[in-house]
Amino acid sequence: MISIVTYHDKYLPDFKRLNLEWLERYDLIEQYDLDILNDPHGTVIDKGGCIFIAVEDGRAIGTAGLAKINDMEYELVKMAVDPAYRGKGIGKKLLSHCLDTAKKLHAEKISLYSNSQLQTALQLYGQFGFMHVKVTDSPLLTADVKMELYFKNNQDQ
C-alpha cells in the first residue's frame, strides 16, 4: 500500500535521490534545483510551502511539493517517482494530494515549470487540467514549458 506522508528530514536522502535521478538523466540540473534539494526547509517549507513523500513498505518512492509564491499561488516543485515504480499511478496520487492540499490552503492558482523532454509528466499535468502558458519569470534556464491550473470557486471548498 502506498501512502503519501509529509516531508520529514529522514527523507532528505530520498528526496535528493529521486529528483537527481531524472534531473541528471535529462541534463537539467540547475542551482535552483540544488537549492531546494539541499535545503527543503529554507526554500519551501519554512516559506509556507509543503513537500510530500510517497512511501511503500517504508521506502520513499516518490516526491512532490508546493512552493508558496503568495497567498493565492503555489508552484508545483520537485515531482519525481522512482524509475522502478513508474507507471503505477504514483505520480497521479502525488499530484492529487498536492492539488487537494492547495485547495485547503485556499490557493487560486498552481503554476509549474518544466521541460519539453518530460513528455510523460506534461501529459499527466494536462490530464489534471493544467494549461500551457507563455514561459515567464522562470527560475530555471532549462524550463521551456510553463503550465497553470486555476481553481474555480475555491472559496466554497
Side-chain angles (χ1 to χ4, degrees):
M1 175 151 172
I2 297 165
S3 57
I4 307 295
V5 301
T6 301
Y7 176 86
H8 183 276
D9 288 338
K10 71 180 181 180
Y11 293 115
L12 181 61
D14 294 306
F15 181 62
K16 287 181 175 182
R17 170 184 59 82
L18 290 162
N19 281 286
L20 287 173
E21 183 276 325
W22 69 266
L23 287 165
E24 289 172 351
R25 181 163 25 107
Y26 291 101
D27 194 27
L28 296 173
I29 295 175
E30 293 189 42
Q31 190 60 50
Y32 179 77
D33 300 304
L34 296 175
D35 290 345
I36 294 173
L37 295 177
N38 289 322
D39 186 12
H41 280 282
T43 57
V44 177
I45 298 167
D46 295 345
K47 294 181 177 182
C50 44
I51 296 172
F52 303 106
I53 308 293
V55 179
E56 183 179 60
D57 297 326
R59 175 174 165 76
I61 58 172
T63 75
L66 293 170
K68 185 175 183 176
I69 305 299
N70 58 53
D71 286 343
M72 298 295 130
E73 181 179 358
Y74 288 78
E75 178 187 350
L76 182 69
V77 295
K78 300 300 149 253
M79 187 156 165
V81 175
D82 187 304
Y85 291 85
R86 290 186 185 144
K88 299 180 180 186
I90 296 162
K92 287 181 181 179
K93 287 182 183 191
L94 282 162
L95 186 52
S96 287
H97 192 81
C98 285
L99 297 181
D100 289 344
T101 300
K103 289 176 185 177
K104 290 175 186 171
L105 294 169
H106 305 289
E108 293 180 1
K109 178 171 86 169
I110 304 294
S111 58
L112 66 86
Y113 295 94
S114 191
N115 184 280
S116 55
Q117 296 178 78
L118 306 173
Q119 284 299 307
T120 302
L122 297 175
Q123 289 172 8
L124 176 63
Y125 304 142
Q127 290 171 8
F128 277 79
F130 282 86
M131 303 294 291
H132 288 268
V133 297
K134 184 177 178 182
V135 180
T136 58
D137 304 323
S138 176
L140 298 158
L141 295 173
T142 58
D144 61 358
V145 173
K146 181 177 182 181
M147 299 178 83
E148 295 177 340
L149 174 68
Y150 286 86
F151 295 115
K152 295 178 182 170
N153 301 321
N154 196 27
Q155 62 273 13
D156 298 331
Q157 303 285 325

